[in-house]
Amino acid sequence: MTIPLKGPLTALTLILAATPSLAAEIWVTNEKDDSISVIDVDTLEVTRTIPTGERPRGIIFSHDYSVVYICASDSDAVQVMDPDTGEIMHDLPSGEDPEQFALAPDNRHLYIANEDDAITTVVDTETRTVVAQINVGIEPEGMAVSPDGKVAITTSETTNMAHWIDTETQSLFANTLVDSRPRHAEFVKDGTEMWVSSEIGGTITVFDAATQAEKAKIGFEIDGIHPDRVQPVGFKFTKGDTHAFVALGPANHVAVVNADTYEVEDYLLVGRRVWHMAFSPDKDLLFTTNGVSGDVTVIDVASREPVKSIKVGRFPWGAAMRP
Amino acid sequence: MRLIFSGALALGLTAAGTAQANIDIPVTYLRAEQVAPPVLSNLDPDPDDLGIAGARTALADNLTTGQFMGHRYALDVVSVEPDGDVLSTARAALAASPFLILDAPADTLLAIADLPEAAGALIFNSTAPDVTLRDADCRANVLHTIASTAMRTDALMQVLMQKRWTDIVAIVGTHPDDLAYEAALDRSATKFGLEIRARETWAFDADMRRSAATEVPLFTQGFGDYDVLVVADEIGDFGEYILYNTWEPRPVAGSVGMSPRTWSPVLEQWAAVQLQNRFEDMQGRSMRDEDYGAWTALRSIGEAVTRTNSADPATLRAFLLSDDFRLDGFKGRALSFRHWNGQLRQPVPVVHPRALVTLAPVEGFLHRVTELDTLGVDEPETACTAFAD
């Protein structure tokens, strides 16, 4: 369709250009740039850079994608942003130094790890009030909420535990030891399993969620890289939870783990110091944040091949998908 | 001075799901106070709680973990004046607990380790960097958490190699610690195929605060051209006045300038900022090498107790020296103990006063077991036999 341009229509075009594109996006927090880089999933280009509070790390969208939550660690705030405009709408009371968080299935309660305070803070995002603060181990970091919303997990990096929180009473009901420096936790397989990565321990521990018993421990081994440098941090599961993609930090690789046999099937070379990751909406592309190289590696999930590296801000950390 | 910090931090949330074993772990921090030698620069006096503050921070870390495990830690800090009877104090401490963190010079440390009461004890040397304590004078009941002088000078030489600053000259002080540092520099240079081409002894007794700008250029003129000037001034006497006063415009390294350390307040990577923040909030100052030595000692005890559910020193020692022990020391990779001499295996940051330059081991220095063992006395060359069984 070609239409001769006239004055009013030009103005309309400008308005259209100012509204967000309809393509899915990957939002990446840049820890040392106090910004978010927005990547268009179709073009694999950075389309926007949005300023945030200081030292943004954890990032998640609400379940209806109407707002995005950002842990601005050095601002001691969780910021709530309108993803269309990039405007900060308000801050949530978060406790000190929020690093990671998880949103309950009710789309309302945010579980926040306060790294400097040995506390998990539960915030009601509607009333913007703190509902509970739970004492956990030193340097809480990884956060997860079970699909039924009944259990929340905090991992503490120096205490080396996964703390199991009953969300009804907001109190601990179990504390399970894992290997050194646990970083990330996820419930998988309809909440029957809970996985925790241990950065310095170099392992992932798989728990049976019902009994909190250790079910498996996954180790990693890459030719030519000393085990000390193989440091699992973030991980995500493919469609049907059949495989986990695991970021291995300074080993500069992502491992592909068979989630049924717990065997490592592949190691994929990515950028330097890979932290976290997010999938495209249909999970055919995976985007990893590479802290030291300041870029994002795009992995084709089916072929397990890195297909592109995208320059973002300094020290990209968290990643979240917006459909 | 005697201060007791006990494990009364119970928050009433010992939880189900963890095997509860009510274990008490009392630890003594014993300091043999030393008279500091006079120095020219008065800028940085040692804090009164040097080292002790690190142990207190680790105690808080251990107590938090302990509350989930039913493990109760206590720290008893004892400081003996320079003319005090440190050996009877050590005997009393060992009678009360087999766990001892020592801030003492090498000869005092050996006298304590050789006490009959110390047989079967678990002693941590958190401050003495002497190479000989990890070598011919090693003791089976002593583990070392501070980096040895050899580890630090190896780290420095690796960085000089990496930067191709291979034409090295040196200025050496006259204190025994300076001479030990010089010997370690020579050993490290030889190890990596380098040499110190020329050296001068610093024996001035003038006050350099007034005359550095005129004295140092002349003093360094005789070196001719070179890549880097290494200073051995371990007591912090004259070194600060060398920087920016040399005849040739060249970098300064060693005890001042670009310096290899066990720990430094400038570290922020590898989550080090969390430890720095925690330390500063609790202690009101930044964390120094000796604080880190004490922190890693008490954290090692805590980690071993957590993993073994035991307070038996033999059980803990065996675990600490095993491959299963991995301590997160906020330096980018797991810390462990060398099973042949009890030295904590750790990266050595090479820093300047405001930032990290490089974390050694430097990439490219390879080792058949772990690159961390390119720093310090390695297994094939050790004269330590106490750990043989």
Side-chain angles (χ1 to χ4, degrees), chain A residues 47-75:
Chain A
T47 55
R48 280 192 287 172
T49 302
I50 304 169
T52 65
E54 289 176 46
R55 202 176 175 209
R57 291 193 281 178
I59 177 167
I60 45 176
F61 284 89
S62 60
H63 298 315
D64 57 6
Y65 297 97
S66 62
V67 297
V68 57
Y69 299 102
I70 302 143
C71 285
S73 298
D74 283 0
S75 299

Side-chain angles (χ1 to χ4, degrees), chain A residues 28-48:
Chain A
V28 172
T29 52
N30 300 309
E31 184 180 354
K32 296 225 171 182
D33 258 353
D34 300 348
S35 67
I36 288 169
S37 299
V38 179
I39 297 168
D40 182 300
V41 169
D42 290 341
T43 63
L44 303 184
E45 305 277 354
V46 174
T47 55
R48 280 192 287 172

Side-chain angles (χ1 to χ4, degrees), chain A residues 115 139 175 178 181 200 231, chain B residues 15 18 271 278 307 326 328 332:
Chain A
E115 185 162 35
E139 287 178 60
N175 302 282
V178 293
R181 204 161 190 85
I200 295 291
Q231 302 180 352
Chain B
T18 306
R278 201 152 75 233
R307 300 292 170 185
R326 291 166 77 94
D328 180 8

Side-chain angles (χ1 to χ4, degrees), chain B residues 14-318:
Chain B
T14 40
T18 306
Q20 294 282 314
N22 288 309
I23 294 175
D24 286 298
I25 308 100
V27 178
T28 307
Y29 183 99
L30 173 57
R31 172 167 70 180
E33 292 176 20
Q34 300 173 60
V35 180
V39 294
L40 288 172
S41 170
N42 303 321
L43 283 180
D44 298 312
D46 282 344
D48 291 339
D49 61 353
L50 185 64
I52 295 167
R56 287 176 184 157
T57 304
L59 176 69
D61 289 357
N62 286 356
L63 285 174
T64 306
T65 306
Q67 75 190 347
F68 299 112
M69 303 291 295
H71 299 160
R72 294 183 296 259
Y73 299 85
L75 178 66
D76 188 3
V77 175
V78 187
S79 191
V80 181
E81 289 179 3
D83 55 356
D85 185 353
V86 67
L87 284 186
S88 1
T89 310
R91 278 196 195 94
L94 288 163
S97 161
F99 307 112
L100 188 59
I101 300 171
L102 267 187
D103 170 2
D107 52 348
T108 308
L109 183 144
L110 289 175
I112 292 171
D114 291 340
L115 288 170
E117 291 85 348
L122 193 50
I123 299 172
F124 290 84
N125 163 28
S126 63
T127 58
D130 310 59
V131 178
T132 166
L133 290 175
R134 286 84 170 162
D135 208 31
D137 286 337
C138 72
R139 296 291 187 272
N141 54 355
V142 182
L143 305 181
H144 312 270
T145 50
I146 194 130
S148 68
T149 306
M151 291 167 74
R152 288 189 290 126
T153 55
D154 280 352
L156 180 62
M157 288 299 165
Q158 289 189 358
V159 174
L160 298 188
M161 283 282 281
Q162 178 195 40
K163 295 184 178 299
R164 299 179 196 280
W165 295 349
T166 52
D167 188 353
I168 305 166
V169 298
I171 299 176
V172 183
T174 54
H175 190 274
D177 289 355
D178 301 339
L179 301 177
Y181 194 77
E182 180 194 22
L185 283 168
D186 279 324
R187 177 197 155 278
S188 298
T190 305
K191 178 173 171 177
F192 297 113
L194 297 169
E195 65 160 340
I196 295 172
R197 176 177 58 78
R199 72 189 74 198
E200 294 286 348
T201 298
W202 185 271
F204 292 78
D205 53 9
D207 186 343
M208 274 301 123
R209 285 176 299 187
R210 283 189 282 275
S211 53
T214 51
E215 296 292 340
V216 176
L218 292 173
F219 185 69
T220 54
Q221 192 177 7
F223 285 130
D225 194 15
Y226 59 90
D227 293 333
V228 59
L229 169 61
V230 173
V231 174
D233 174 32
E234 284 293 90
I235 61 169
D237 183 12
F238 60 92
E240 300 291 356
Y241 303 107
I242 305 293
L243 283 93
Y244 306 106
N245 280 317
T246 53
W247 182 261
E248 292 289 336
R250 294 288 179 272
V252 174
S255 302
V256 292
M258 186 177 75
S259 188
R261 315 294 312 185
T262 298
W263 185 253
S264 165
V266 304
L267 297 180
E268 52 175 352
Q269 273 192 68
W270 312 290
V273 67
Q274 323 301 349
L275 179 59
Q276 309 275 27
N277 288 347
R278 201 152 75 233
F279 185 92
E280 281 167 24
D281 285 351
M282 288 178 70
Q283 313 300 346
R285 62 174 177 83
S286 57
M287 190 175 199
R288 300 199 187 184
D289 307 70
E290 292 84 352
D291 299 313
Y292 185 80
W295 182 84
T296 44
L298 191 48
R299 280 291 299 127
S300 294
I301 295 172
E303 182 66 14
V305 170
T306 301
R307 300 292 170 185
T308 60
N309 234 337
S310 168
D312 169 45
T315 305
L316 297 179
R317 180 180 179 277

